[in-house]
Amino acid sequence: MAGCLALVVGAGRGARFGGELPKQYHTLAGRAVLRHSLETFLAHPGVDAVCAVINMDDRDLYDQAVAGLTLLEPTGGGDARQDSVRLGLESLVEYAPDHVLIHDAARPFIDAETISRVIDALGQHGAAIPAMSVNDTLKRGENGIITQTIDRTGLWRAQTPQGFAFPEILAAHRHFAGRELTDDAALAEAAGMEVALVHGSEDNVKVTTQNDLARASVHLAPPREFRNGTGFDVHRFAAGDHVMLCGVKIPHEFGLSGHSDADVGLHALTDAILGAIAAGDIGTHFPPSDNRWKGAESHVFLRHANELAKAQGAEITSLDVTLICETPKISPHREAMRSRIADILGIKIGRVSVKGTTTERLGFTGRKEGIAAQALATIALPGPSSASK
Ligand code: MG
């Protein structure tokens, strides 16, 4: 196999990271840190095959992390990173590649464009690395005091993947085995190879500490915008033997009058969701003048509001309904109501709150003339605030 192979080095135990689990096996957006870069190399058209260098004590963790990926058999690493890379290169000798890209598993955000720039540069140079220019002023200090300001002109921060002509970098690693150099380019330089600089990526950061991982998780979380909507509704008591409240049938000395089943709780909730997506009110979508909705079960209205919200990509993050009445008592039915609402909307019950209160016998609810309900809906829409309508 000629061509270009990628060697992803993740054999370290991450002393600076701490904890039992090596950092490359921590989960980042649902996938192991190591898996992120492996997938990016596998998907790149300029890379023919991908091999990981791991600590063989972590073989089970590795197998779980890469389940379903088509990779070369992993190589066991050594004590120091440089040993791990050399052992990895030795394991690729049988494939006789033209080029190899050596990448740190702790850089999960490597992108296809950066990989392409490195590969392109290998067309003209024996070695190429991605790097970023140094923009901050550099100081040398001793005991907390500056001793020198360093000219940053021509200074670069090295990243990976670092690309090399395979036979040359293998020879350099063999030659300098045991000598501590901080990256593979340093070996190439020491061996007299010309190493080209290509533009890296500000996102191609190295995850070194737990803090880096937490920041990386935020970086990967899709941006969301939260919106609220409120709803309010009243229905009058009338002759009857039950009321429908939040989708639950409750035996009562009166019924509630209304065009539909008069479920004041679901009506307030429906308006709250419509409010959160700025889609009018329940009367806009289900006019009382339309006989189709006569006697309708109100879960139909709530489902419709939910469908409209979903069509905008919205996710309901919380609902809070307050039923205002002297009778019936709400608390015995609270759990059934929460469960019914969660069921209608297909969301977790933990996102649904139902509360009951009285008005201390004041006003129309206090005189038991009817029931009022208010509701608050909070939804999450995809995209940053500035990008959405
Ligand atoms: Mg109503």
Side-chain angles (χ1 to χ4, degrees), residues 81-103:
R81 181 186 180 282
Q82 200 173 318
D83 300 324
S84 296
V85 174
R86 181 173 40 79
L87 293 167
L89 292 172
E90 296 286 1
S91 78
L92 300 182
V93 168
E94 60 176 301
Y95 303 107
D98 297 324
H99 296 117
V100 61
L101 304 178
I102 303 171
H103 184 68

mmCIF file of all heavy atoms in Angstrom, residues 81-103:
data_model
loop_
_atom_site.group_PDB
_atom_site.id
_atom_site.type_symbol
_atom_site.label_atom_id
_atom_site.label_comp_id
_atom_site.label_asym_id
_atom_site.label_seq_id
_atom_site.Cartn_x
_atom_site.Cartn_y
_atom_site.Cartn_z
ATOM 1 N N ARG A 81 6.362 9.608 24.603
ATOM 2 C CA ARG A 81 5.642 9.820 23.353
ATOM 3 C C ARG A 81 6.510 9.455 22.140
ATOM 4 O O ARG A 81 6.037 8.838 21.186
ATOM 5 C CB ARG A 81 5.195 11.285 23.249
ATOM 6 C CG ARG A 81 4.411 11.564 21.969
ATOM 7 C CD ARG A 81 4.076 13.035 21.769
ATOM 8 N NE ARG A 81 3.331 13.201 20.520
ATOM 9 C CZ ARG A 81 3.902 13.201 19.314
ATOM 10 N NH1 ARG A 81 5.213 13.062 19.201
ATOM 11 N NH2 ARG A 81 3.161 13.340 18.225
ATOM 12 N N GLN A 82 7.786 9.847 22.221
ATOM 13 C CA GLN A 82 8.675 9.599 21.085
ATOM 14 C C GLN A 82 8.828 8.098 20.808
ATOM 15 O O GLN A 82 8.862 7.671 19.650
ATOM 16 C CB GLN A 82 10.033 10.235 21.375
ATOM 17 C CG GLN A 82 10.854 10.464 20.121
ATOM 18 C CD GLN A 82 12.123 11.241 20.431
ATOM 19 O OE1 GLN A 82 12.080 12.205 21.205
ATOM 20 N NE2 GLN A 82 13.222 10.829 19.845
ATOM 21 N N ASP A 83 8.867 7.308 21.881
ATOM 22 C CA ASP A 83 8.931 5.850 21.695
ATOM 23 C C ASP A 83 7.654 5.339 21.042
ATOM 24 O O ASP A 83 7.681 4.454 20.183
ATOM 25 C CB ASP A 83 9.086 5.134 23.052
ATOM 26 C CG ASP A 83 10.353 5.556 23.775
ATOM 27 O OD1 ASP A 83 11.362 5.777 23.098
ATOM 28 O OD2 ASP A 83 10.309 5.666 25.021
ATOM 29 N N SER A 84 6.530 5.898 21.499
ATOM 30 C CA SER A 84 5.237 5.463 20.948
ATOM 31 C C SER A 84 5.167 5.737 19.456
ATOM 32 O O SER A 84 4.711 4.896 18.674
ATOM 33 C CB SER A 84 4.084 6.186 21.658
ATOM 34 O OG SER A 84 4.057 5.829 23.021
ATOM 35 N N VAL A 85 5.626 6.915 19.051
ATOM 36 C CA VAL A 85 5.582 7.256 17.626
ATOM 37 C C VAL A 85 6.485 6.304 16.844
ATOM 38 O O VAL A 85 6.103 5.781 15.796
ATOM 39 C CB VAL A 85 6.013 8.722 17.393
ATOM 40 C CG1 VAL A 85 6.094 9.016 15.892
ATOM 41 C CG2 VAL A 85 5.037 9.689 18.066
ATOM 42 N N ARG A 86 7.687 6.058 17.379
ATOM 43 C CA ARG A 86 8.630 5.180 16.669
ATOM 44 C C ARG A 86 8.030 3.778 16.506
ATOM 45 O O ARG A 86 8.075 3.197 15.418
ATOM 46 C CB ARG A 86 9.966 5.102 17.429
ATOM 47 C CG ARG A 86 11.019 4.214 16.746
ATOM 48 C CD ARG A 86 12.382 4.304 17.435
ATOM 49 N NE ARG A 86 12.279 4.346 18.886
ATOM 50 C CZ ARG A 86 12.065 3.267 19.651
ATOM 51 N NH1 ARG A 86 11.958 2.073 19.102
ATOM 52 N NH2 ARG A 86 11.983 3.405 20.968
ATOM 53 N N LEU A 87 7.434 3.254 17.582
ATOM 54 C CA LEU A 87 6.825 1.920 17.497
ATOM 55 C C LEU A 87 5.671 1.918 16.496
ATOM 56 O O LEU A 87 5.482 0.955 15.743
ATOM 57 C CB LEU A 87 6.344 1.479 18.884
ATOM 58 C CG LEU A 87 7.477 1.222 19.891
ATOM 59 C CD1 LEU A 87 6.924 1.111 21.320
ATOM 60 C CD2 LEU A 87 8.238 -0.054 19.504
ATOM 61 N N GLY A 88 4.931 3.015 16.473
ATOM 62 C CA GLY A 88 3.839 3.145 15.505
ATOM 63 C C GLY A 88 4.361 3.133 14.084
ATOM 64 O O GLY A 88 3.822 2.452 13.208
ATOM 65 N N LEU A 89 5.440 3.886 13.849
ATOM 66 C CA LEU A 89 6.035 3.936 12.509
ATOM 67 C C LEU A 89 6.544 2.556 12.101
ATOM 68 O O LEU A 89 6.345 2.125 10.958
ATOM 69 C CB LEU A 89 7.177 4.965 12.475
ATOM 70 C CG LEU A 89 6.757 6.439 12.633
ATOM 71 C CD1 LEU A 89 7.993 7.329 12.771
ATOM 72 C CD2 LEU A 89 5.901 6.900 11.451
ATOM 73 N N GLU A 90 7.192 1.868 13.036
ATOM 74 C CA GLU A 90 7.695 0.513 12.732
ATOM 75 C C GLU A 90 6.545 -0.403 12.294
ATOM 76 O O GLU A 90 6.697 -1.228 11.396
ATOM 77 C CB GLU A 90 8.400 -0.099 13.958
ATOM 78 C CG GLU A 90 9.654 0.634 14.421
ATOM 79 C CD GLU A 90 10.869 0.414 13.493
ATOM 80 O OE1 GLU A 90 10.731 -0.295 12.478
ATOM 81 O OE2 GLU A 90 11.951 0.984 13.806
ATOM 82 N N SER A 91 5.380 -0.224 12.943
ATOM 83 C CA SER A 91 4.253 -1.106 12.612
ATOM 84 C C SER A 91 3.686 -0.810 11.221
ATOM 85 O O SER A 91 2.932 -1.612 10.674
ATOM 86 C CB SER A 91 3.149 -0.978 13.674
ATOM 87 O OG SER A 91 2.391 0.198 13.468
ATOM 88 N N LEU A 92 4.036 0.368 10.671
ATOM 89 C CA LEU A 92 3.525 0.720 9.338
ATOM 90 C C LEU A 92 4.486 0.329 8.221
ATOM 91 O O LEU A 92 4.161 0.454 7.043
ATOM 92 C CB LEU A 92 3.247 2.230 9.257
ATOM 93 C CG LEU A 92 2.219 2.786 10.254
ATOM 94 C CD1 LEU A 92 2.009 4.283 10.014
ATOM 95 C CD2 LEU A 92 0.881 2.051 10.139
ATOM 96 N N VAL A 93 5.682 -0.161 8.583
ATOM 97 C CA VAL A 93 6.695 -0.486 7.579
ATOM 98 C C VAL A 93 6.143 -1.457 6.544
ATOM 99 O O VAL A 93 6.360 -1.304 5.335
ATOM 100 C CB VAL A 93 7.962 -1.077 8.254
ATOM 101 C CG1 VAL A 93 8.895 -1.687 7.211
ATOM 102 C CG2 VAL A 93 8.694 0.009 9.045
ATOM 103 N N GLU A 94 5.352 -2.433 7.010
ATOM 104 C CA GLU A 94 4.827 -3.456 6.079
ATOM 105 C C GLU A 94 3.935 -2.855 4.989
ATOM 106 O O GLU A 94 3.734 -3.459 3.946
ATOM 107 C CB GLU A 94 4.046 -4.536 6.852
ATOM 108 C CG GLU A 94 2.855 -4.003 7.622
ATOM 109 C CD GLU A 94 2.052 -5.119 8.297
ATOM 110 O OE1 GLU A 94 1.577 -6.013 7.571
ATOM 111 O OE2 GLU A 94 1.899 -5.085 9.539
ATOM 112 N N TYR A 95 3.380 -1.652 5.239
ATOM 113 C CA TYR A 95 2.509 -1.031 4.226
ATOM 114 C C TYR A 95 3.305 -0.146 3.262
ATOM 115 O O TYR A 95 2.754 0.321 2.276
ATOM 116 C CB TYR A 95 1.423 -0.193 4.905
ATOM 117 C CG TYR A 95 0.588 -0.997 5.871
ATOM 118 C CD1 TYR A 95 0.734 -0.839 7.249
ATOM 119 C CD2 TYR A 95 -0.354 -1.923 5.405
ATOM 120 C CE1 TYR A 95 -0.029 -1.583 8.140
ATOM 121 C CE2 TYR A 95 -1.123 -2.667 6.290
ATOM 122 C CZ TYR A 95 -0.945 -2.499 7.660
ATOM 123 O OH TYR A 95 -1.688 -3.228 8.526
ATOM 124 N N ALA A 96 4.572 0.138 3.611
ATOM 125 C CA ALA A 96 5.448 0.982 2.777
ATOM 126 C C ALA A 96 4.749 2.221 2.235
ATOM 127 O O ALA A 96 4.719 2.449 1.019
ATOM 128 C CB ALA A 96 6.011 0.146 1.618
ATOM 129 N N PRO A 97 4.190 3.050 3.126
ATOM 130 C CA PRO A 97 3.501 4.261 2.631
ATOM 131 C C PRO A 97 4.505 5.292 2.133
ATOM 132 O O PRO A 97 5.677 5.274 2.548
ATOM 133 C CB PRO A 97 2.777 4.785 3.871
ATOM 134 C CG PRO A 97 3.607 4.308 5.026
ATOM 135 C CD PRO A 97 4.168 2.975 4.606
ATOM 136 N N ASP A 98 4.042 6.193 1.233
ATOM 137 C CA ASP A 98 4.885 7.321 0.818
ATOM 138 C C ASP A 98 4.961 8.345 1.942
ATOM 139 O O ASP A 98 6.006 8.890 2.225
ATOM 140 C CB ASP A 98 4.283 8.001 -0.425
ATOM 141 C CG ASP A 98 4.251 7.057 -1.614
ATOM 142 O OD1 ASP A 98 5.204 6.263 -1.745
ATOM 143 O OD2 ASP A 98 3.275 7.106 -2.392
ATOM 144 N N HIS A 99 3.796 8.597 2.548
ATOM 145 C CA HIS A 99 3.711 9.642 3.569
ATOM 146 C C HIS A 99 2.994 9.136 4.815
ATOM 147 O O HIS A 99 2.173 8.227 4.747
ATOM 148 C CB HIS A 99 2.939 10.864 3.029
ATOM 149 C CG HIS A 99 3.642 11.528 1.886
ATOM 150 N ND1 HIS A 99 3.101 11.601 0.620
ATOM 151 C CD2 HIS A 99 4.851 12.137 1.814
ATOM 152 C CE1 HIS A 99 3.940 12.232 -0.182
ATOM 153 N NE2 HIS A 99 5.019 12.556 0.514
ATOM 154 N N VAL A 100 3.321 9.792 5.933
ATOM 155 C CA VAL A 100 2.598 9.495 7.164
ATOM 156 C C VAL A 100 2.246 10.817 7.835
ATOM 157 O O VAL A 100 3.026 11.780 7.811
ATOM 158 C CB VAL A 100 3.440 8.590 8.107
ATOM 159 C CG1 VAL A 100 4.741 9.262 8.523
ATOM 160 C CG2 VAL A 100 2.634 8.186 9.344
ATOM 161 N N LEU A 101 1.035 10.858 8.397
ATOM 162 C CA LEU A 101 0.605 12.017 9.186
ATOM 163 C C LEU A 101 0.582 11.575 10.644
ATOM 164 O O LEU A 101 -0.103 10.606 10.979
ATOM 165 C CB LEU A 101 -0.809 12.465 8.781
ATOM 166 C CG LEU A 101 -1.035 12.792 7.305
ATOM 167 C CD1 LEU A 101 -2.513 13.163 7.078
ATOM 168 C CD2 LEU A 101 -0.134 13.945 6.866
ATOM 169 N N ILE A 102 1.359 12.243 11.492
ATOM 170 C CA ILE A 102 1.428 11.854 12.904
ATOM 171 C C ILE A 102 0.616 12.868 13.710
ATOM 172 O O ILE A 102 0.893 14.081 13.668
ATOM 173 C CB ILE A 102 2.891 11.806 13.395
ATOM 174 C CG1 ILE A 102 3.686 10.832 12.508
ATOM 175 C CG2 ILE A 102 2.946 11.376 14.862
ATOM 176 C CD1 ILE A 102 5.195 10.856 12.763
ATOM 177 N N HIS A 103 -0.401 12.360 14.410
ATOM 178 C CA HIS A 103 -1.356 13.252 15.083
ATOM 179 C C HIS A 103 -1.507 12.883 16.548
ATOM 180 O O HIS A 103 -1.518 11.708 16.910
ATOM 181 C CB HIS A 103 -2.719 13.158 14.373
ATOM 182 C CG HIS A 103 -3.748 14.091 14.919
ATOM 183 N ND1 HIS A 103 -3.664 15.456 14.775
ATOM 184 C CD2 HIS A 103 -4.890 13.862 15.620
ATOM 185 C CE1 HIS A 103 -4.720 16.027 15.361
ATOM 186 N NE2 HIS A 103 -5.465 15.084 15.892
#
